[in-house]
Amino acid sequence: MAARFQPLLTVLRRCLLPGGLAVLIGACAATGPTPPFAAIAGDGPYVFHAAGNQLDALWVCGGKVVRSRLPARDGAVVKPRCGYPHAVAIPARIDAGEMPLPAGARIIAVSDIHGQYALLAQLLRAHRVIDGGDRWNAGRDHLVVAGDVFDRGDDVTEILWLLFQLQQQARAAGGAVHFLLGNHETMALYGSTHYVHPALIDNARLLGRSYDALYAADSVLGQWLRTRPVLLRLGDTLFLHGGIAPQDAGLVDAMTATNAAYQRSLGTPRKQVEADPALAPLYDHKTSPIWYRGYFDGQLDTPAVQALAARLGVARIVVGHTTIGEVASFHGGRVIAIDGGLKRGKTGQLLFIEGDRLSRGLLDGRREALPALQEVPRDQD
């Protein structure tokens, strides 16, 4: 009987910590679409650099910590124990560069995955972006993930390893995988756990770390995350998680410096970020590139959006963050919304950009034209 109710006791324990109602609302009610009492059979690996030029790989399998240590040589392979189902190759050096788009290559984009590994893999397989073994299958094409892998669902680390591996495989094939930081990446790494699956908090405790420390700079994934951009331009398309407010257009002009500022600050405690005049605008919950919703909430009308795109010198701005429930076009095609509701764990869609032709890919492998929408449902979490 006690084992049966252990997941419920875990969540109640978190809710009864000091902080009272705020913790109850933030840590329990805001867990998102994934049932907060769901058990996690396996989690990991979490790979850390250890003394003596070693890698320390850890999993939580069936509530027990499993550990493996191996030399930190180029191409070191971490074999699966539980959690991510494939072997992981760890390069000696993590390449921070973003590859340019080759002539004739497609762009495929998705966002707001929120721990839904199985659904993401199903969607990518349906469109032959990956093969049945979850390996890169899209040749010279470019895949863009526009933020929010973290939080809500329970397979966050598994998705990170999938993208980490696909990035290496795509580069070898002449393509690329671009993973952009969203607000949930920055939140999780500066210590906000309001949207983290409760079992992952317990797993971190079993591993002797806070949740954010699982992705600290001494970890392989933490090092990789600190190379990820917020802003990306491919051809005539600008990609980012939330959006660019007109008053912040200069952040796009200085894209290299903007991305570097986010990368340097990732993992900085929230209070410190908000107190720093140079960093606070990058994290502002209303106007910053990882939070802005002005294309959808009435702040900007279509002429203003068209003027912004012209000012930025792009044909379109592709964003996630605001859940539409489908991939769709807004403001005469100047804004493409790609948060198709993957976080709900039921369905998802991809955006395809092939020259001037845009379409969306459905979970069953079909492709169709983008709808042009005027209004969005109120789902802004």
Side-chain angles (χ1 to χ4, degrees):
M1 182 68 73
R4 177 183 177 187
F5 290 102
Q6 186 60 43
L8 175 59
L9 294 174
T10 295
V11 176
L12 289 175
R13 183 170 66 250
R14 293 180 65 221
C15 295
L16 294 174
L17 291 171
L21 183 59
V23 173
L24 177 63
I25 294 172
C28 302
T31 51
T34 300
F37 312 138
I40 297 178
D43 181 27
Y46 298 94
V47 183
F48 302 93
H49 291 277
N53 197 33
Q54 298 284 301
L55 293 174
D56 200 13
L58 298 98
W59 296 257
V60 178
C61 303
K64 303 293 185 182
V65 174
V66 177
R67 184 186 303 266
S68 176
R69 181 159 289 199
L70 64 158
R73 58 176 178 265
D74 189 36
V77 175
V78 178
K79 297 180 180 179
R81 300 294 186 88
C82 64
Y84 184 61
H86 307 294
V88 174
I90 310 293
R93 179 178 176 274
I94 295 176
D95 190 351
E98 300 299 322
M99 304 294 290
L101 183 70
R106 301 181 304 174
I107 301 172
I108 307 156
V110 66
S111 78
D112 295 80
I113 303 164
H114 286 295
Q116 298 291 338
Y117 174 86
L119 193 58
L120 173 67
Q122 181 183 350
L123 182 61
L124 295 178
R125 289 178 197 133
H127 292 275
R128 298 181 175 85
V129 179
I130 62 176
D131 63 19
D134 293 352
R135 295 184 58 83
W136 181 253
N137 192 47
R140 298 166 66 246
D141 292 343
H142 281 222
L143 173 66
V144 180
V145 178
D148 280 12
V149 163
F150 275 80
D151 291 346
R152 302 185 187 282
D154 56 4
D155 287 336
V156 171
T157 301
E158 289 81 352
I159 296 171
L160 292 174
W161 283 123
L162 174 65
L163 299 179
F164 183 88
Q165 293 296 104
L166 289 178
Q167 187 178 73
Q168 298 176 59
Q169 296 161 8
R171 184 177 288 120
V177 172
H178 309 271
F179 171 35
L180 312 185
L181 300 174
N183 62 304
H184 281 268
E185 278 72 43
T186 62
M187 289 166 62
L189 269 68
Y190 68 40
S192 173
T193 58
H194 287 176
Y195 293 90
V196 179
H197 192 292
L200 296 180
I201 301 293
D202 279 355
N203 286 352
R205 176 182 53 80
L206 288 173
L207 295 173
R209 292 194 173 217
S210 61
Y211 181 72
D212 59 297
L214 294 177
Y215 305 98
D218 66 335
S219 74
V220 172
L221 287 178
Q223 288 183 343
W224 179 58
L225 287 166
R226 286 163 175 79
T227 70
R228 299 299 81 221
V230 165
L231 304 173
L232 173 70
R233 179 168 177 162
L234 290 177
D236 58 2
T237 303
L238 175 67
F239 294 88
L240 70 164
H241 181 64
I244 283 291
Q247 65 269 28
D248 286 336
L251 294 176
V252 178
D253 298 335
M255 185 178 296
T256 299
T258 301
N259 284 332
Y262 274 108
Q263 290 158 359
R264 286 193 303 268
S265 65
L266 196 65
T268 303
R270 176 177 178 176
K271 289 184 178 179
Q272 186 176 335
V273 166
E274 293 176 344
D276 187 332
L279 293 179
L282 301 181
Y283 289 86
D284 184 277
H285 282 211
K286 297 295 184 182
T287 63
S288 70
I290 58 175
W291 282 97
Y292 187 62
R293 301 186 192 272
Y295 311 144
F296 309 107
D297 64 5
Q299 294 183 53
L300 299 182
D301 60 13
T302 293
V305 171
Q306 292 173 336
L308 175 61
R311 159 69 178 81
L312 297 172
V314 297
R316 66 192 66 86
I317 304 168
V318 176
V319 298
H321 189 49
T322 301
T323 304
I324 308 301
E326 58 182 324
V327 172
S329 169
F330 290 82
H331 300 295
R334 292 297 182 266
V335 170
I336 309 299
I338 61 169
D339 182 351
L342 264 165
K343 69 180 183 182
R344 298 171 181 146
K346 296 180 179 179
T347 191
Q349 297 181 357
L350 300 173
L351 168 68
F352 286 86
I353 302 177
E354 301 167 274
D356 293 330
R357 187 169 71 90
L358 276 65
S359 61
R360 64 186 188 183
L362 309 183
L363 194 61
D364 62 4
R366 289 181 296 128
R367 296 269 293 277
E368 62 184 27
L370 299 187
L373 302 184
Q374 303 297 324
E375 298 181 353
V376 301
R378 187 168 182 81
D379 186 352
Q380 299 190 357
D381 57 357

